[in-house]
Structures are given as C-alpha cells and as structure tokens.
Amino acid sequence: MDEEIFQGIADRSPFIAWIHNISLNQQKYMKQKFKNIDLGHDVRYIMYVYDNPDCSQDDLVSMFCQSKGNVAKILKKLEDKGFIERKTNPENRRKYMLNVTEKGSELVPEYRRISKQWESEVGITDFDEELKQRIREIAIKGMKLTQDN
C-alpha cells in the first residue's frame, strides 16, 4: 500500500513532524499576509513582551529555550525595526525591562486576528479546546524536561 507523502511527511511520520509542519505552514501564511514585515518566528518575542510588560531578556531565554546570545540578537533586530524598546531596570541597572513600542502594539492585535483567521481556514475551531489544552500540556512537559538538563 503506497503512502501519500506531502511536504516531506507521511502518515507514519513522527507526531512532532506534523506539529512542525503546522507551524511552518502557519508562518508561511502569516508571511503572505504581512508581506512588508518579515518576522518569521521572531514575532513570538513581540507577542510575549506585549503580554508581559517590563519582562526581561532572561524571561525570554527561559520561555523560548534560546541562548542569551541568540535572544540578544533577536531583541536587537526587533528594537532596530521599532517593535520593542529596552529600558534599564531601576532595581537592577545591569538588566533591561522590555516593552513594545506603538508599532509593536499595533502589530499584535492584527497578527492575532490573522492567526485566528488561519486557524479557521485550516479547521481549528472553538470546539478544539480539549486538543489545544492537551498540546499545551505536552509543550509544558517538554519544557520541563529540557529545563532540568
């Protein structure tokens, strides 16, 4: 029995390959909708800062399992593009507090609206809350597994 293969994954592919495929295709869709803003996965940093005003670079390192150097490069790029700003933390002058700029504040609601549109177009509905919760649980367990090492 021949198995259909699409974008390099097949029925027998690991579960994570399907999740990765979903993520990549959602990013392609978003890139088409935001042609003038090429942020790729870095938009998640803007969204995190938007949802967590005055957060720190260390918060992003922990959240996204990235090195401090990698996060610093991404933040510099987002700052240069005018989406976030860094201010010295008055309680610890060696750390920065991160916040979105007006440009970042305008992007996030529009990005979420278009993302919700993508979910609808691929068939993710409000009735999928149980599935979403289960995937969140798996993601959290995965973070915890790597956090201890």
Side-chain angles (χ1 to χ4, degrees), residues 8 21 37 54-55 76 141:
N21 178 274
I37 304 172
D54 294 334
C55 64
K76 174 75 172 122
K141 285 180 182 178

Side-chain angles (χ1 to χ4, degrees), residues 26 29-30 34 110-120:
Q26 193 259 2
Y29 180 89
M30 298 306 280
F34 291 91
E110 181 66 5
Y111 191 90
R112 286 188 169 145
R113 185 185 70 74
I114 300 293
S115 185
K116 193 76 171 158
Q117 179 182 331
W118 175 85
E119 288 180 8
S120 176

Side-chain angles (χ1 to χ4, degrees), residues 86-107:
R86 295 188 253 194
K87 293 184 181 174
T88 303
N89 185 333
E91 295 173 15
N92 183 345
R93 301 200 50 77
R94 293 180 296 160
K95 295 198 174 205
Y96 291 99
M97 297 183 312
L98 304 170
N99 287 288
V100 293
T101 61
E102 185 176 334
K103 184 177 179 180
S105 290
E106 291 170 1
L107 172 70

Side-chain angles (χ1 to χ4, degrees), residues 110-149:
E110 181 66 5
Y111 191 90
R112 286 188 169 145
R113 185 185 70 74
I114 300 293
S115 185
K116 193 76 171 158
Q117 179 182 331
W118 175 85
E119 288 180 8
S120 176
E121 288 186 35
V122 298
I124 299 171
T125 69
D126 292 338
F127 297 109
D128 291 322
E129 264 324 297
E130 191 174 311
L131 173 64
K132 291 177 188 177
Q133 183 57 36
R134 182 71 183 117
I135 291 172
R136 281 185 202 102
E137 290 168 4
I138 293 167
I140 290 167
K141 285 180 182 178
M143 285 187 263
K144 287 179 179 177
L145 279 173
T146 58
Q147 196 173 40
D148 296 336
N149 295 331

